[in-house]
Amino acid sequence: MSEGATAAHDVLLVGGGAAGLRAAIAIAETNPSLSVAVVSKVYPMRSHTVSAEGGAAGAIAEGDTLDEHAYDTISGSDWLCDQDAVEAFVQEAPRELLQLEHWGCPWSREPDGRIAVRAFGGMKNMRTWFAADKTGFHMLHSLFQTSLKYTDITRYDEWFVTRLLVDDGRVHGVVAIELMSGRIEVITAKSVVLCNGGSGKVFPFTTNANICTGDGMALAYRAGAPLKDMEFVQYHPTGLPFTGILITEATRAEGGWLLNKDGYRYLQDYDLGKPEPTPVLRSMELGPRDRLSQAFVHEVEKGRTIESPYGPIVHLDLRHLGAKLIDTKLPMVRELCMQYERIDPVTELIPVRPVVHYMMGGVHTDINGATPIDGLFAAGETACVTINGANRLGSNSLPECLVFGARAGRAAAEYATSAKQPSPAVMRQADDEVRRLEQMRSPDRGHEQIADIREEMQSTMEDSAGIFRSGDSLAKGVDQLAELQQRLDRIQLYDQTSAFNTELVAALELANMLDIAETILHSAVQREESRGAHQRTDFTTRDDTRFLNHALAYRDSDGSVRIERLPVTITRWPPGERVYGR
């Protein structure tokens, strides 16, 4: 491992998925004279956006309105979203999706040529655009190919960012490792945009790829920016056992049923937030994700699930949909089931269980992606703007990447035009980071194993902060994570090579995940209520008097977590009963 020369750009984006590429394009369009860098630890087309299946929400269908999309999002969030951000989001989402079509995204269409939309959980109207069930794949292709026409965008593919360089309250760039060579390089920039996804890998069962280790959140957190609403972790009700691979909500939008071990559509026994006294059987599978995941736990407690080598499961039944519909609208689902479970959903039941899917929390930003650190912006799942509050509605995340990626990109471009060059203190920070990375290879650090600590962290998070939590379980988890943090300093790295040292990357990712895990537990401990995806067995009701606010998690100088409160922004919709499908 060796230190390389310093590279300099005007704007630097960390992450090459939908939010990062959309931000890069926005910067290039806003000011073509700016030098833009995209730093990604994987080739951009391997970013986690590529795995999104179901679709992207935007109100265009006859009978749908922007206000209805806004209300569904606000109600679905259990009134914890900022309504000014939601109003901007729903207004700009259709324009962004249409722009994406102009860039080549092949949206599925009706026979008369209109954009096809499907129903999605928690939404009253059909407003989810889709490209079969490979929506993220086609979106990312369109964004990546569009970005190639801008010659001022420089890509650093397979580079891992280890530190933000911040001096006097302003960001000046990053320190990053080129994975191919092990070379450490300082990349300075007048503004930085974090767009490197979520942190689902802090849990053992997740739809997230192995790259989703909360790197952007941890970078901002250590640099002094707060993380917001980290206690809200979304479980998706239909993931494949063991692998956690997502079986998209589109399966239920097309008419799939969830069945317990008796073949019974058990969701009709639960309150999913609907106002009707009798559930409508054809749509109950499209209740909000948090309510469906909670219903699964109750089925487990009643002994009505099926035991498997990977814990209890239920079945998703698509057989009645027929091969033609499945092959037309759900081809990837059939492919995943056949490859990973050796079953054909045309004729067989799909085993599913709730798995961690999305982080509602993230780096605290304003409506334009700006963090409290000057020059530092964030967008996508890394950020918390917040439009998701306590529970994200399915198909809102892809347009969120587009809308707020574009906003953050434009804001970062504007900031970069007037920013100053970095001070000498920044280079001293870079030298400190190089020394830290070199010391991680020291042979006398200890004998702890990365895999052991990672497995214990994931088990701790599942046990203490799963679908249901309690004060006791959370407190126990806090103590266990504190012990794991101490053991992290005693990790021994055996790989002394420079090129593609995956052991070093795994150690850096583990450090990021432990920091994120601590913010989740500390935020959850202090929220003494049940709201959305945060369900406390010792505080079972929503408490708007005490907790209609955001939790901001700061990292103190001693490494401890400090929680502060921020009011929720309410514009036109006062808090009310949470309903859907009315």
Side-chain angles (χ1 to χ4, degrees):
M1 185 184 299
S2 61
E3 185 179 358
T6 299
H9 297 276
D10 294 309
V11 186
L12 187 149
L13 300 111
V14 186
L21 292 177
R22 183 65 188 93
I25 294 168
I27 295 163
E29 290 177 332
T30 300
N31 189 340
S33 67
L34 293 176
S35 170
V36 183
V38 177
V39 184
S40 175
K41 71 176 177 180
V42 295
Y43 185 72
M45 277 307 302
R46 294 184 180 274
S47 299
H48 191 54
T49 303
V50 80
S51 67
E53 300 171 26
I60 59 160
E62 184 177 353
D64 199 6
T65 68
L66 299 180
D67 276 1
E68 287 183 317
H69 188 185
Y71 183 82
D72 287 349
T73 300
I74 293 163
S75 177
S77 79
D78 230 346
W79 268 267
L80 205 72
C81 62
D82 287 334
Q83 294 179 17
D84 57 341
V86 172
E87 291 191 76
F89 165 69
V90 301
Q91 183 174 18
E92 295 173 24
R95 295 202 297 266
E96 286 289 336
L97 297 177
L98 186 60
Q99 175 65 72
L100 206 61
E101 180 180 59
H102 294 166
W103 289 338
C105 186
W107 297 117
S108 295
R109 294 186 173 276
E110 300 292 353
D112 63 2
R114 290 181 300 169
I115 295 289
V117 289
R118 60 172 39 134
F120 242 65
M123 296 194 184
K124 293 188 289 293
N125 298 318
M126 299 207 311
R127 65 170 64 98
T128 298
W129 305 37
F130 60 96
D133 60 350
K134 299 182 180 181
T135 307
F137 173 85
H138 290 298
M139 286 179 59
L140 195 58
H141 260 288
S142 302
L143 289 164
F144 180 61
Q145 291 165 357
T146 300
S147 73
L148 296 178
K149 72 179 184 180
Y150 296 102
T151 57
D152 289 324
I153 297 177
T154 301
R155 294 211 323 271
Y156 293 78
D157 296 343
E158 298 185 332
W159 286 66
F160 188 87
V161 175
T162 66
R163 180 170 177 168
L164 290 174
L165 299 174
V166 177
D167 181 51
D168 196 25
R170 184 166 76 85
V171 71
H172 295 277
V174 303
V175 177
I177 303 172
E178 183 184 39
L179 300 183
M180 181 177 68
S181 65
R183 179 167 56 105
I184 305 171
E185 186 160 321
V186 178
I187 308 175
T188 63
K190 298 173 182 176
S191 59
V192 175
V193 187
L194 299 173
C195 306
N196 38 351
S199 53
K201 293 302 291 184
V202 301
F203 288 84
F205 294 101
T206 176
T207 65
N208 286 195
N210 285 334
I211 61 174
C212 298
T213 51
D215 304 330
M217 298 180 193
L219 287 170
Y221 177 61
R222 294 191 196 117
L227 303 184
K228 182 166 61 181
D229 294 343
M230 293 300 292
E231 63 267 44
F232 299 106
V233 179
Q234 181 172 79
Y235 278 73
H236 196 291
T238 54
L240 292 178
F242 177 57
T243 62
I245 290 172
L246 173 68
I247 298 300
T248 173
E249 196 161 300
T251 56
R252 290 171 279 126
E254 298 298 338
W257 300 335
L258 283 171
L259 309 176
N260 64 17
K261 73 174 185 179
D262 302 317
Y264 174 67
R265 290 177 70 185
Y266 60 88
L267 290 174
Q268 59 191 292
D269 294 349
Y270 297 96
D271 174 17
L272 304 179
K274 292 177 64 108
E276 295 90 349
T278 302
V280 180
L281 294 187
R282 66 177 176 84
S283 63
M284 64 187 173
E285 274 84 6
L286 285 181
R289 291 173 176 176
D290 57 339
R291 299 281 175 89
L292 266 62
S293 298
Q294 293 154 23
F296 172 88
V297 175
H298 293 311
E299 287 294 291
V300 173
E301 294 169 347
K302 295 174 182 177
R304 302 199 306 196
T305 54
I306 303 121
E307 288 302 316
S308 81
Y310 311 108
I313 62 165
V314 291
H315 282 135
L316 177 62
D317 189 0
L318 308 183
R319 296 173 300 177
H320 54 286
L321 302 183
K324 181 178 179 180
L325 185 148
I326 291 173
D327 287 339
T328 301
K329 294 188 174 182
L330 303 168
M332 189 173 176
V333 168
R334 190 175 190 185
E335 180 183 328
L336 291 171
C337 289
M338 295 178 75
Q339 287 188 351
Y340 290 94
E341 292 290 335
R342 301 293 189 268
I343 61 172
D344 186 349
V346 172
T347 58
E348 300 172 271
L349 298 170
I350 306 172
V352 293
R353 56 161 290 167
V355 290
V356 167
H357 182 56
Y358 188 89
M359 297 290 161
M360 270 73 76
V363 182
H364 169 48
T365 74
D366 67 13
I367 199 169
N368 291 313
T371 75
I373 297 175
D374 288 346
L376 181 64
F377 302 81
E381 193 174 350
T382 298
C384 184
V385 56
T386 170
I387 66 164
N388 298 310
N391 175 65
R392 176 179 71 82
L393 293 190
S395 75
N396 267 353
S397 62
L398 289 177
E400 178 186 3
C401 289
L402 301 175
V403 169
F404 293 103
R407 279 176 165 258
R410 289 190 289 266
E414 182 179 352
Y415 184 92
T417 58
S418 59
K420 300 177 182 178
Q421 294 298 320
S423 67
V426 170
M427 300 313 296
R428 288 195 292 271
Q429 289 182 28
D431 292 339
D432 290 342
E433 180 65 5
V434 172
R435 283 191 291 270
R436 182 184 77 89
L437 294 172
E438 294 287 0
Q439 289 170 359
M440 289 183 66
R441 295 163 167 268
S442 172
D444 57 357
R445 279 171 57 90
H447 297 88
E448 292 286 353
Q449 303 296 306
I450 295 171
D452 292 341
I453 297 177
R454 182 173 56 222
E455 184 176 341
E456 290 184 44
M457 172 197 69
Q458 292 172 335
S459 177
T460 295
M461 294 302 291
E462 184 78 7
D463 293 342
S464 62
I467 295 172
F468 288 96
R469 304 101 176 260
S470 71
D472 290 342
S473 73
L474 292 167
K476 182 179 179 182
V478 167
D479 292 341
Q480 290 171 328
L481 288 185
E483 179 187 346
L484 293 179
Q485 285 279 23
Q486 294 178 349
R487 291 170 57 187
L488 182 68
D489 293 332
R490 301 193 294 272
I491 282 179
Q492 177 64 55
L493 300 186
Y494 297 95
D495 186 352
Q496 296 298 309
T497 61
S498 296
F500 290 110
N501 190 325
T502 56
E503 187 180 37
L504 173 62
V505 173
L508 294 168
E509 290 175 331
L510 178 58
N512 291 341
M513 289 190 287
L514 279 171
D515 280 354
I516 299 307
E518 286 193 318
T519 66
I520 292 171
L521 294 192
H522 281 274
S523 299
V525 164
Q526 295 204 17
R527 185 169 289 277
E528 296 178 338
E529 65 163 353
S530 287
R531 185 188 298 266
H534 174 73
Q535 293 293 306
R536 290 278 298 259
T537 57
D538 46 351
F539 295 94
T540 58
T541 59
R542 195 177 88 186
D543 185 351
D544 287 344
T545 302
R546 297 175 59 203
F547 294 108
L548 188 63
N549 48 51
H550 303 295
L552 298 179
Y554 290 85
R555 187 177 190 268
D556 280 339
S557 57
D558 61 355
S560 61
V561 184
R562 182 180 82 257
I563 304 296
E564 296 184 4
R565 295 288 169 185
L566 181 71
V568 170
T569 300
I570 295 174
T571 57
R572 293 192 284 143
W573 294 276
E577 181 186 3
R578 182 183 172 199
V579 298
Y580 84 99
R582 55 177 191 168

